[in-house]
């Protein structure tokens, strides 16, 4: 039997208002499941300002911060808790680079996103960038799983 000491990771994924409005939720979930990750929890909601301030605390004061909060509260998002070994790194690889123009074809942002000439990049998805971020973000979007 193969033994592993790895802890199974969880990552917090958001389908952002642009992805939801464009009907891309299914395509994002399809890619997550095709990769082999498990969906643990899923919720459709319009984020509150408090949730977004907590979620994007690291970006407070940056030029795109207010546009980012305005964009993220502009409509429903789909919050998804995913699970699997190294899924934090794995989902970031599926998502691609932050700038959807530079994101490689084959990635969610590269295949489905583009620049719309606005002050904040609308790039379809969010994914936690570390185990610490994943734990913090899980308490914001899925307190029952935090
Ligand atoms: P990521 O979502 O790839 O982790 P991030 O955490 O640095 O990127 O930024 C959060 C979001 O803010 C990002 O998804 C899009 C937007 N953003 C980041 N940098 C930006 C910039 N220089 N100009 C416009 N929007 C930006
Ligand atoms: Mg980030």
């Amino acid at each position: 039997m193969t033994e592993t000491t790895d802890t199974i990771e969880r990552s917090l994924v958001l389908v952002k208002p642009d992805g939801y409005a464009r009907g891309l939720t299914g395509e994002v979930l399809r890619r997550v499941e095709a990769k082999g990750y498990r969906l643990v929890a899923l919720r459709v909601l319009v984020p509150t300002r408090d949730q977004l301030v907590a979620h994007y605390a690291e970006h407070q004061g940056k030029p795109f911060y207010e546009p980012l909060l305005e964009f993220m509260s502009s409509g429903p998002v789909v919050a998804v808790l995913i699970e699997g070994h190294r899924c934090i790194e794995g989902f970031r690889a599926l998502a691609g680079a932050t700038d959807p123009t530079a994101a490689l074809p084959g990635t969610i942002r590269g295949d489905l996103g583009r620049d719309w000439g606005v002050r904040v990049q609308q790039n379809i998805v969010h994914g936690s960038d570390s185990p610490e971020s994943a734990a913090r973000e899980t308490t914001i979007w899925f307190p029952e799983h935090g």
Side-chain angles (χ1 to χ4, degrees):
M1 194 180 116
T2 307
E3 296 212 23
T4 173
T5 55
D6 288 355
T7 308
I8 299 181
E9 270 182 358
R10 290 184 172 183
S11 182
L12 189 283
V13 169
L14 298 175
V15 180
K16 297 182 178 184
D18 59 329
Y20 180 87
R22 291 176 55 203
L24 296 173
T25 301
E27 175 64 17
V28 170
L29 297 181
R30 187 192 67 73
R31 291 177 185 222
V32 169
E33 289 198 301
K35 181 75 172 171
Y37 301 135
R38 194 169 76 86
L39 308 183
V40 176
L42 188 149
R43 164 173 299 144
V44 182
L45 75 163
V46 179
T48 65
R49 178 143 183 125
D50 283 354
Q51 282 176 309
L52 294 171
V53 166
H55 182 81
Y56 282 124
E58 66 177 302
H59 295 306
Q60 204 185 344
K62 295 183 184 172
F64 58 85
Y65 178 74
E66 278 301 334
L68 177 61
L69 263 54
E70 193 178 320
F71 162 59
M72 289 297 296
S73 59
S74 67
V77 306
V78 182
V80 192
L81 195 57
I82 70 169
E83 183 177 83
H85 293 287
R86 299 177 68 197
C87 71
I88 294 171
E89 179 185 358
F91 181 78
R92 298 276 296 185
L94 288 181
T98 303
D99 177 354
T101 300
L104 292 177
T107 66
I108 292 168
R109 290 163 168 175
D111 286 348
L112 309 174
R114 54 162 283 194
D115 198 307
W116 298 94
V118 290
R119 285 192 299 160
V120 64
Q121 292 292 358
Q122 302 190 355
N123 55 13
I124 319 282
V125 288
H126 165 84
S128 305
D129 64 8
S130 68
E132 295 71 29
S133 299
R136 188 177 60 76
E137 293 167 5
T138 298
T139 66
I140 297 169
W141 304 99
F142 293 103
E144 69 275 30
H145 289 278

